[in-house]
Amino acid sequence: MAHRPKRTFRQRRAHSSDSDGAEEPSSEPGAPEEQAAPGLTEEGPPSGRGRVEVTAGRVRGRGPRGRGRVWASSRRAAGAAPRAEGGSGVPESRVVDLSTDEERETPHSSKTFIQAARRKRELARAQDDYISLDVKHTSTITGMKKNSDEDSESEPDDHEKRIPFTPKPQTLKQRMAEETTPRNEETSEESQEDENQDIWEQQQMRKAVKITEGPGLDLSYSSELQTVKKFDTSISLPPVNLEIIKKQLNTRLTLLQDTHRSHLREYEKYIQDVKSSKSTIQNLENSSNQALNFKFYKSMKIYVENLIDCLNEKIISIQEIESSMHALLLKQAMTFVKRRQDELKHESTYLQQLSRRAETSTNESLAVDEKTQWILEEIESRRSRRRQARALSGNCDHQEGTSSDDELSSADMNDFQKTQGDISQDHKKIFEDVHDDFCNIQHILLKFQQWREKYPDSYYEAFISLWIPKLLNPLIRVQLIDWNPLKFDAIGLKQMPWFTSIEEFMASSMEDSKKEDSSDKILSTVINKTLIPRLTDFVEFIWDPLSTSQTTSLITHCRVILEELSTCANEVSKGKQDLLKSVVVRMKKAIEDDVFIPLYPKRTVENKTSPHSKFQERQFWSGVKLFHNILLWNGLLPDDTLQELGLGKLLNRYLIIALLNAIPGPDVVKKCDQIAAYLPEKWFQNSAMRTSIPQLENFIQFLLQCAHKLSRSEFRDEVKEIIPILVKIKALNQAESFIEEYQLDHLKSVIKEV
């Protein structure tokens, strides 16, 4: 016999779900009464009826879940024996309910069961050679399912379930039916195998489970264990009335209504989402194709990248050619300035030598070095050519010294033209290998115009108006390489190709509400960043303030450019301020470096044909010419600046001194009249003005002094030329005083006309 594990015991009640009666109820109503087999009562032990309780020890196995082992035992009475009647001879299987009162086991009962089991095994082996294991526990399994449905809550896990090893006990009617029913040989063999299997299972259970017997055991079936668990009426339930039911129903209804409303809200939200999605789909279908939009943006991106690459590659060549042209013009300007200053120096030195020889009263010839002699001859040669040119043109009213001495020799002119031609050829070759879409400003602006017309929102959001001037800057600089604002025949701003292209680009956006944010800023930025710096370079390094033609042409271009800039941009730009500042600085430098009016003794200059007199006249009229050129900036430069430069630094410091040293006469009156003619009229437009501006006080005093001298000389008639000059510059009080002093009543009409 195998070693048996330690057994545990617990009490079972008749209505427990683990009891045999509840687990396997009888299939017929009369089963409990019929199960009291007389054979068992007769074969019971001498001690009488007793109840044996089987304690099922459930041991939780260590194997996989569902394979837990469950130990159960069911023993017969000590005197139990196989049926003596016919049939299979296998002892009848019974289900017994063991009481928990029995916790002890007697040696007599154990020996009786062991002997009975041995006899049954011997009998089974005599009938057949083996004990069949093919046993169907249909009835037992069915009973277990019913029991599990009733006590599903208390049902243990898979590894704690009891495994039935015994078949469901049969009723008396079933046993009688089996005995009376004829069975064929095959059925008898199968039944015999089933019974042998049952016997084997019972034997195994007896070996595994320890059954304790006690006094008063009753091995008969208890009808009490076979009763079905009924409802216990003794349990009190909470009181129920109509109000409570109504309240619970209302609560339930409220919850359902809230749930329903939340579902409705979700449904409405989904409906709105569906409508919105359909609307979006419709809008996308009606709008421009996204694929075409992507293609356009991608093409613009590639185009701009290629344009930037092209300009980055060409910018070096552009800068080199700009520098070459600037250097050529600067060289020419420096040549003229240096030649004028050298000629002035040599001629002044020569005249000083003449004056010293005249003072010594010697008849010796003046020794002049070859360089000075050559310079003097060259100066006189150029003057002769200019006189001939003026005579041919009919300009006889011309003063010596007012012409621009900017002629070049034939060799120098040829070299200049050759170098300038080479630069122009290089200039044309910059973009000769570039497609027009990347070097023609009109084509470039057309690309951005298409963008603005097709997708205006993205155009303005990308701030294209701020980037277009940067893209156009190198191309505009190329067009300005051969542009010289100091030439009278230089092309004007509004005739430049780039300017007209930008104007067309502006005109195409006139109907756009964001016009101010695009076109105006483009033009003003181009002028500020490209054109004005170019002008500033000409003013600082190339412009000659003594040249009236250069000054007039420069002022014309500056006036147009600055007016156009003020139209596009309301604020004063830094470029404009830098330009005007450079103009003032350059004119100051010209006054300091180029104005030279020598003073000679009166006896030396009385002879108008003497070289001293001619030289002094030329230098005086050269100063008057500069005075005129400075005042031409009226309207561009502030009045205070012009008055300081023209009147304070030039007129009072140089011209008045030369006039004071001159002999009063028609020539002096003519010079004063010319000076007054160059003064801007807007300085004297105030009708209530009786005195002139403070900077003209010295000039007025000189006019009065000259009038007094002329009134006592043979040139008395020249006085009537001085009074209109005083009236023009608003020196009315001084003019009236002079008329009253000299009783010139016929000149009062001149004052009344003012």
Side-chain angles (χ1 to χ4, degrees):
M1 182 180 297
H3 175 70
R4 292 175 293 181
K6 184 179 179 180
R7 291 171 285 181
T8 58
F9 301 92
R10 66 180 177 180
Q11 185 178 359
R12 293 178 180 271
R13 288 183 294 184
H15 61 273
S16 176
S17 61
D18 296 335
S19 64
D20 295 338
E23 183 178 349
E24 299 177 3
S26 177
S27 62
E28 296 183 7
E33 291 77 13
E34 294 175 358
Q35 287 178 355
L40 289 176
T41 58
E42 295 175 357
E43 296 176 0
S47 61
R49 298 179 62 184
R51 297 178 63 188
V52 181
E53 178 177 344
V54 180
T55 302
R58 298 179 181 178
V59 181
R60 196 179 295 267
R62 295 184 181 181
R65 186 177 179 181
R67 296 189 59 187
R69 293 172 295 178
V70 179
W71 301 90
S73 177
S74 177
R75 297 186 179 181
R76 294 180 183 272
R83 288 187 307 172
E85 289 101 293
S88 62
V90 180
E92 183 178 348
S93 176
R94 300 179 183 275
V95 177
V96 295
D97 186 17
L98 302 180
S99 174
T100 60
D101 298 335
E102 299 177 359
E103 297 177 358
R104 297 180 306 274
E105 177 184 20
T106 60
H108 175 72
S109 61
S110 300
K111 186 183 293 184
T112 302
F113 278 105
I114 293 171
Q115 291 176 357
R118 288 176 179 174
R119 286 195 299 270
K120 289 178 182 179
R121 285 197 300 271
E122 292 175 358
L123 181 60
R125 289 166 182 165
Q127 294 177 358
D128 204 347
D129 293 338
Y130 65 95
I131 299 176
S132 175
L133 298 178
D134 187 10
V135 180
K136 299 180 180 179
H137 303 280
T138 307
S139 62
T140 304
I141 296 172
T142 306
M144 290 181 66
K145 289 183 178 180
K146 293 180 179 179
N147 187 32
S148 64
D149 293 338
E150 293 176 1
D151 300 329
S152 59
E153 295 181 357
S154 62
E155 182 179 1
D157 296 338
D158 294 341
H159 62 279
E160 294 179 352
K161 291 182 179 179
R162 293 176 57 188
I163 300 175
F165 290 97
T166 60
K168 183 179 179 182
Q170 297 178 341
T171 62
L172 180 59
K173 184 183 290 185
Q174 292 174 346
R175 291 196 300 273
M176 292 174 63
E178 290 177 359
E179 292 175 357
T180 57
T181 302
R183 293 174 295 181
N184 53 23
E185 183 178 359
E186 182 179 357
T187 305
S188 177
E189 293 177 356
E190 294 178 356
S191 176
Q192 184 67 28
E193 293 177 358
D194 294 341
E195 291 178 358
N196 294 339
Q197 178 67 24
D198 294 340
I199 293 170
W200 182 81
E201 291 178 356
Q202 293 176 6
Q203 292 173 356
Q204 297 300 320
M205 292 181 64
R206 289 190 185 98
K207 294 178 182 179
V209 181
K210 180 179 181 181
I211 300 178
T212 305
E213 292 185 356
L217 290 177
D218 188 2
L219 299 178
S220 62
Y221 287 96
S222 176
S223 61
E224 183 181 358
L225 298 176
Q226 303 296 331
T227 59
V228 181
K229 184 177 180 181
K230 297 181 180 179
F231 179 74
D232 190 358
T233 58
S234 64
I235 301 174
S236 62
L237 298 175
V240 179
N241 54 29
L242 185 59
E243 293 298 329
I244 295 175
I245 296 174
K246 184 178 179 181
K247 183 177 180 180
Q248 292 179 351
L249 290 176
N250 288 334
T251 303
R252 179 63 177 168
L253 180 60
T254 302
L255 294 175
L256 291 176
Q257 288 176 350
D258 293 341
T259 305
H260 179 65
R261 283 192 292 269
S262 64
H263 290 170
L264 284 178
R265 287 193 296 269
E266 291 180 0
Y267 175 75
E268 292 175 356
K269 179 182 177 182
Y270 295 149
I271 292 298
Q272 292 296 330
D273 292 343
V274 171
K275 291 181 180 180
S276 177
S277 300
K278 290 182 179 179
S279 176
T280 302
I281 293 172
Q282 187 67 25
N283 292 335
L284 292 175
E285 290 178 352
N286 294 336
S287 63
S288 58
N289 194 339
Q290 295 297 322
L292 295 177
N293 296 349
F294 174 77
K295 183 178 180 181
F296 175 80
Y297 289 128
K298 185 176 181 180
S299 63
M300 282 299 300
K301 178 178 179 294
I302 295 174
Y303 172 76
V304 173
E305 289 177 350
N306 293 334
L307 177 60
I308 293 174
D309 292 341
C310 174
L311 296 178
N312 288 335
E313 182 179 348
K314 299 295 184 180
I315 192 66
I316 298 177
S317 301
I318 295 173
Q319 292 175 348
E320 291 178 353
I321 296 176
E322 275 185 335
S323 300
S324 300
M325 182 61 75
H326 180 76
L328 178 65
L329 297 177
L330 178 62
K331 181 181 178 181
Q332 184 187 48
M334 295 300 294
T335 300
F336 291 147
V337 172
K338 188 176 183 303
R339 186 182 69 180
R340 181 172 62 240
Q341 293 177 352
D342 289 344
E343 290 176 352
L344 179 62
K345 180 180 178 181
H346 285 85
E347 191 171 5
S348 175
T349 302
Y350 173 74
L351 293 177
Q352 288 178 357
Q353 292 176 356
L354 287 179
S355 298
R356 286 196 296 270
R357 192 188 67 169
E359 292 176 357
T360 58
S361 300
T362 58
N363 296 326
E364 298 178 0
S365 61
L366 182 63
V368 180
D369 60 296
E370 295 181 358
K371 183 177 181 181
T372 302
Q373 186 66 30
W374 178 83
I375 291 175
L376 295 176
E377 292 176 357
E378 184 68 22
I379 294 173
E380 189 60 31
S381 174
R382 292 198 304 272
R383 289 172 183 168
S384 299
R385 289 196 294 269
R386 289 196 293 271
R387 292 191 195 100
Q388 293 177 0
R390 289 194 297 270
L392 293 175
S393 62
N395 185 12
C396 298
D397 188 12
H398 178 79
Q399 299 295 332
E400 292 285 343
T402 58
S403 60
S404 298
D405 190 9
D406 53 1
E407 294 90 351
L408 288 175
S409 62
S410 300
D412 293 339
M413 181 62 68
N414 292 334
D415 292 341
F416 176 82
Q417 292 179 351
K418 182 179 182 301
T419 305
Q420 189 177 26
D422 294 339
I423 294 175
S424 299
Q425 291 297 324
D426 294 338
H427 160 224
K428 295 178 181 179
K429 293 179 181 179
I430 294 177
F431 291 107
E432 65 178 0
D433 59 342
V434 179
H435 194 272
D436 287 345
D437 290 341
F438 299 95
C439 64
N440 190 303
I441 295 178
Q442 187 174 5
H443 291 188
I444 295 173
L445 292 177
L446 183 61
K447 292 281 187 180
F448 290 100
Q449 181 179 345
Q450 294 174 356
W451 185 357
R452 184 179 60 192
E453 292 175 353
K454 291 183 178 180
Y455 311 103
D457 294 337
S458 63
Y459 174 86
Y460 291 111
E461 289 175 0
F463 298 100
I464 301 301
S465 60
L466 301 179
W467 290 102
I468 287 181
K470 295 183 179 180
L471 293 176
L472 300 183
N473 178 270
L475 302 175
I476 295 174
R477 288 167 60 183
V478 170
Q479 296 186 16
L480 295 177
I481 286 177
D482 56 355
W483 178 66
N484 189 349
L486 304 179
K487 298 288 185 181
F488 69 93
D489 58 348
I491 185 173
L493 173 67
K494 296 185 178 181
Q495 287 75 37
M496 294 181 180
W498 63 266
F499 185 86
T500 56
S501 299
I502 294 178
E503 275 193 331
E504 292 176 0
F505 184 76
M506 293 168 54
S508 64
S509 63
M510 291 300 292
E511 298 178 358
D512 196 339
S513 60
K514 299 182 180 180
K515 173 187 64 174
E516 296 181 357
D517 294 336
S518 59
S519 59
D520 285 353
K521 282 193 174 182
I522 291 174
L523 185 57
S524 62
T525 305
V526 168
I527 293 175
N528 269 321
K529 301 297 183 180
T530 306
L531 192 59
I532 289 183
R534 178 78 172 174
L535 272 176
T536 305
D537 289 341
F538 273 97
V539 170
E540 291 180 354
F541 304 104
I542 303 174
W543 173 48
D544 183 9
L546 269 72
S547 174
T548 303
S549 61
Q550 291 186 11
T551 303
T552 303
S553 178
L554 179 63
I555 290 175
T556 301
H557 290 290
C558 287
R559 197 179 299 277
V560 173
I561 291 171
L562 295 181
E563 288 178 358
E564 189 67 31
L565 180 62
S566 62
T567 303
C568 299
N570 295 327
E571 70 278 1
V572 179
S573 65
K574 184 177 181 299
K576 177 181 178 180
Q577 293 178 347
D578 294 340
L579 173 62
L580 298 180
K581 183 179 179 180
S582 63
V583 170
V584 174
V585 171
R586 184 68 186 89
M587 288 191 297
K588 285 182 179 180
K589 189 174 185 300
I591 293 174
E592 295 173 357
D593 297 344
D594 297 327
V595 177
F596 173 69
I597 303 177
L599 298 178
Y600 298 110
K602 291 184 178 180
R603 60 182 179 82
T604 306
V605 297
E606 286 178 355
N607 184 7
K608 299 298 181 182
T609 60
S610 66
H612 298 84
S613 177
K614 292 181 179 179
F615 180 71
Q616 188 182 53
E617 288 292 312
R618 285 196 298 268
Q619 292 303 115
F620 177 84
W621 285 108
S622 176
V624 172
K625 179 182 180 182
L626 179 60
F627 177 79
H628 176 222
N629 293 342
I630 291 175
L631 297 181
L632 285 176
W633 289 94
N634 177 40
L636 295 177
L637 293 176
D639 292 342
D640 296 340
T641 303
L642 289 178
Q643 291 173 6
E644 179 185 359
L645 290 174
L647 304 181
K649 292 183 177 298
L650 184 57
L651 178 63
N652 294 331
R653 185 179 298 179
Y654 293 99
L655 301 182
I656 294 297
I657 294 176
L659 291 174
L660 290 173
N661 191 48
I663 300 174
D667 294 339
V668 173
V669 174
K670 183 178 180 181
K671 293 176 181 177
C672 292
D673 183 61
Q674 190 66 50
I675 291 174
Y678 290 151
L679 294 174
E681 293 182 358
K682 73 171 188 175
W683 291 358
F684 314 103
Q685 288 180 352
N686 187 1
S687 59
M689 186 176 181
R690 302 291 297 178
T691 58
S692 184
I693 56 180
Q695 289 84 350
L696 289 176
E697 184 64 27
N698 292 334
F699 183 62
I700 294 173
Q701 294 299 326
F702 171 76
L703 291 175
L704 293 175
Q705 181 181 353
C706 184
H708 286 295
K709 291 180 178 180
L710 291 175
S711 62
R712 294 191 295 269
S713 66
E714 57 182 350
F715 303 108
R716 183 177 301 177
D717 295 338
E718 298 294 332
V719 175
K720 63 180 181 181
E721 301 294 335
I722 295 177
I723 298 300
I725 297 175
L726 294 172
V727 172
K728 181 179 180 181
I729 60 178
K730 290 294 182 179
L732 301 180
N733 294 334
Q734 291 86 342
E736 290 178 354
S737 299
F738 181 81
I739 292 173
E740 291 178 359
E741 181 180 359
Y742 288 94
Q743 297 180 357
L744 302 175
D745 296 337
H746 63 282
L747 296 178
K748 291 183 179 179
S749 61
V750 178
I751 300 176
K752 294 180 181 179
E753 292 177 358
V754 178

